[in-house]
Amino acid sequence: MIFQKNRLFKIISLSTAIVMCALAFSACSGSSSSGGTKKQLKITNVSYDPTRELYQKYNEAFAEYYKSETGEDVELVQSHGGSGSQARSVIEGADADVVTLALAHDITLIEQAGLINNGWIEEFDNDSAPYTSTIVFLVRKGNPKGLKDWNDLIKDGVEIINPDPKSSGGACWNFLAAWQYALNNNNNDEDKAKEFVTKLYQNVTVMDSGARGATTTFVENGQGDVLIAWENEAINSVIEYPNKYEIVTPSVSILAQPSVAIVDANADKNKTQELSKEYLNYLYSDKAQQIIGESGYRPSNEKILKTFSDKFDLDVSLITINDFGGWDAAYEKFFDDGAIFDEIYNG
């Protein structure tokens, strides 16, 4: 297919991923003592692509909070990449104490590998989703191609930048939003929805392994007419380059719920279970929720979310993963090997 020939990026190879994990996580976590000297408390947060800046700010706030509460310093290590790739790295041995990934399914894979206890999604509020986001279009200033909704993206000559659903959680949210738009406009005819999404992916000229890579391709490398993006990525791009880009909110989008969990097997081994729980709990504090909103994510605290009404379109029509029967059903239907995305991509 056309977009197969144009695809410039592929998922990182397993061997490379293993090497990277070995380098990134060679230091041990925890607070054990040796020779009478107590080591500094340390935990590692394995997260997805666009949360780098959020967790840089959050980690500073949490370290200050923890010091004030306990008198102890804590070292907080961040790791970022495509959400699916990050989940696989933890399964393959990356020593994460906590994961903060783009979708619940990626955490479920780690659970199924025996590293996270059953019932993790109920451990923290709002289905262990302390913030949400949605999917928007980022276009160049003046929107020269006149892109207003999903149907504009399948027009001839439109070049789309979009990450790969096989490695990027954000890309899965993108796919589902486009699919639902096609269903809504074709009397729920799945054959026509598949035809629509096939045309859309034929216009994808660069398919990066992660959402941040896709942003870099569009914003910094100047490729493509439109980036299908996390809302926070689009907001921050407009802030950084106010005269170069603008945001288009499609008529149908999706409530994206990034999820968090303690990697219990590692936290138990590293003796960081309590610290890890406190680290994720603090995401729901008023201070953390304010940082979340300032970073372009939607706070789960409705009162604080409303204070950012000038930043977010709070009236946008949002479907949810429940409209697809939950992540297990959605993944089986669309993203597993041989499922609808593979049929589209390899057809």
Side-chain angles (χ1 to χ4, degrees):
M1 298 176 70
I2 295 173
F3 64 94
Q4 283 180 292
K5 296 178 181 178
N6 291 329
R7 188 180 185 191
L8 301 182
F9 291 84
K10 295 182 179 179
I11 302 172
I12 191 168
S13 68
L14 179 59
S15 59
T16 304
I18 292 171
V19 170
M20 290 178 67
C21 292
L23 291 173
F25 300 104
S26 57
C28 62
S29 301
S31 56
S32 60
S33 60
S34 176
T37 301
K38 188 176 183 180
K39 290 184 179 180
Q40 183 182 20
L41 290 165
K42 174 181 174 180
I43 60 172
T44 296
N45 173 11
V46 170
S47 195
Y48 66 106
D49 258 340
T51 58
R52 289 173 175 85
E53 295 79 10
L54 166 61
Y55 280 106
Q56 286 169 0
K57 295 175 186 175
Y58 174 73
N59 286 349
E60 288 181 10
F62 178 77
E64 290 177 6
Y65 159 77
Y66 196 78
K67 176 79 170 180
S68 69
E69 291 291 313
T70 67
E72 295 187 272
D73 293 315
V74 58
E75 180 183 357
L76 303 165
V77 179
Q78 298 174 222
S79 170
H80 300 274
S83 186
S85 298
Q86 291 290 79
R88 286 189 290 274
S89 77
V90 174
I91 292 168
E92 291 161 7
D95 196 18
D97 299 279
V98 302
V99 287
T100 55
L101 297 178
L103 43 87
H105 178 79
D106 290 335
I107 297 180
T108 298
L109 293 177
I110 303 172
E111 175 193 0
Q112 290 171 349
L115 299 175
I116 293 177
N117 294 342
N118 295 338
W120 65 267
I121 202 165
E122 299 171 355
E123 187 167 1
F124 301 98
D125 290 343
N126 302 312
D127 293 330
S128 291
Y131 44 87
T132 64
S133 190
T134 188
I135 302 305
V136 298
F137 305 156
L138 185 67
V139 299
R140 306 197 186 281
K141 195 70 175 179
N143 194 4
K145 291 290 179 79
L147 307 175
K148 298 297 185 183
D149 213 340
W150 292 100
N151 61 309
D152 294 318
L153 271 56
I154 67 170
K155 293 178 179 177
D156 291 342
V158 175
E159 296 185 355
I160 301 170
I161 309 300
N162 186 51
D164 188 339
K166 289 294 191 177
S167 56
S168 167
C172 295
W173 293 113
N174 296 354
F175 183 101
L176 294 177
W179 182 271
Q180 188 63 47
Y181 171 87
L183 284 181
N184 290 356
N185 288 275
N186 289 284
N187 298 315
N188 291 316
D189 187 323
E190 293 210 343
D191 289 334
K192 289 184 177 179
K194 186 175 179 181
E195 180 183 345
F196 177 90
V197 176
T198 298
K199 289 179 180 178
L200 187 150
Y201 276 87
Q202 286 173 343
N203 280 351
V204 173
T205 55
V206 179
M207 192 181 294
D208 294 274
S209 62
R212 178 54 58 86
T215 301
T216 298
T217 295
F218 184 75
V219 172
E220 297 183 16
N221 298 342
Q223 299 185 54
D225 300 307
V226 56
L227 170 69
I228 305 177
W230 286 101
E231 182 180 49
N232 68 288
E233 286 286 273
I235 288 172
N236 291 330
S237 295
V238 170
I239 291 172
E240 189 171 357
Y241 304 97
N243 297 315
K244 289 189 175 183
Y245 303 100
E246 59 188 72
I247 296 171
V248 173
T249 302
S251 62
V252 174
S253 195
I254 191 165
L255 179 67
Q257 294 175 287
S259 301
V260 304
I262 299 169
V263 185
D264 296 288
N266 292 343
D268 289 343
K269 176 191 68 178
N270 297 330
K271 298 181 173 57
T272 58
Q273 184 73 236
E274 256 183 66
L275 174 58
S276 296
K277 186 169 186 177
E278 190 68 20
Y279 178 79
L280 295 183
N281 261 329
Y282 191 66
L283 283 165
Y284 295 87
S285 69
D286 286 354
K287 183 175 180 64
Q289 290 284 296
Q290 185 70 26
I291 292 171
I292 284 165
E294 291 169 356
S295 300
Y297 289 89
R298 298 184 175 213
S300 61
N301 183 313
E302 289 291 330
K303 184 177 179 181
I304 294 176
L305 172 62
K306 288 177 181 177
T307 68
F308 289 95
S309 59
D310 60 333
K311 178 176 283 193
F312 306 118
D313 181 353
L314 300 182
D315 297 320
V316 63
S317 174
L318 297 176
I319 58 171
T320 75
I321 192 60
N322 293 331
D323 292 309
F324 297 90
W327 268 114
D328 287 346
Y331 227 86
E332 181 180 359
K333 180 173 182 175
F334 296 106
F335 307 119
D336 276 346
D337 290 344
I340 286 176
F341 176 75
D342 279 355
E343 291 177 6
I344 288 171
Y345 187 74
N346 297 320

